[in-house]
Amino acid sequence: MNIYEEIELQECPYCQGPGILEEEEGWCWYVMCMDCGAKTGECGYKSEEESAKAARSAAHLWNIGKVIRSDRCE
Ligand SMILES: [Zn+2]
């Protein structure tokens, strides 16, 4: 199973840019906007099994708009 193919991401709620699913050092997943850098909180996991669940949680947060905007451009 390829988690990247399974998960569908909406466009960024701030700029309509493309969201990408990212894994951090083998302990959490989050989704980040490639254009403005807005991102979801990190969804941590402790096992291979939890990993897929955490990836789906991160995607869900993104898709419902629970996204934190970075202050980079202000
Ligand atoms: Zn964006």
Side-chain angles (χ1 to χ4, degrees):
M1 184 191 73
N2 185 334
I3 200 79
Y4 294 98
E5 284 175 17
E6 184 197 305
I7 287 176
E8 285 193 40
L9 297 171
Q10 312 278 333
E11 292 168 334
C12 174
Y14 295 115
C15 73
Q16 276 73 54
I20 46 163
L21 189 62
E22 292 268 20
E23 187 174 20
E24 180 99 45
E25 301 281 329
W27 70 272
C28 77
W29 289 92
Y30 61 91
V31 179
M32 185 174 169
C33 173
M34 288 177 75
D35 284 350
C36 74
K39 58 183 264 192
T40 64
E42 288 132 0
C43 296
Y45 62 87
K46 293 189 177 72
S47 67
E48 198 68 14
E49 224 170 73
E50 283 180 28
S51 175
K53 210 190 278 180
R56 285 190 205 99
S57 299
H60 178 69
L61 289 177
W62 176 265
N63 288 342
I64 64 174
K66 291 232 179 254
V67 180
I68 302 149
R69 190 170 201 175
S70 83
D71 295 320
R72 191 172 74 175
C73 298
E74 287 183 338

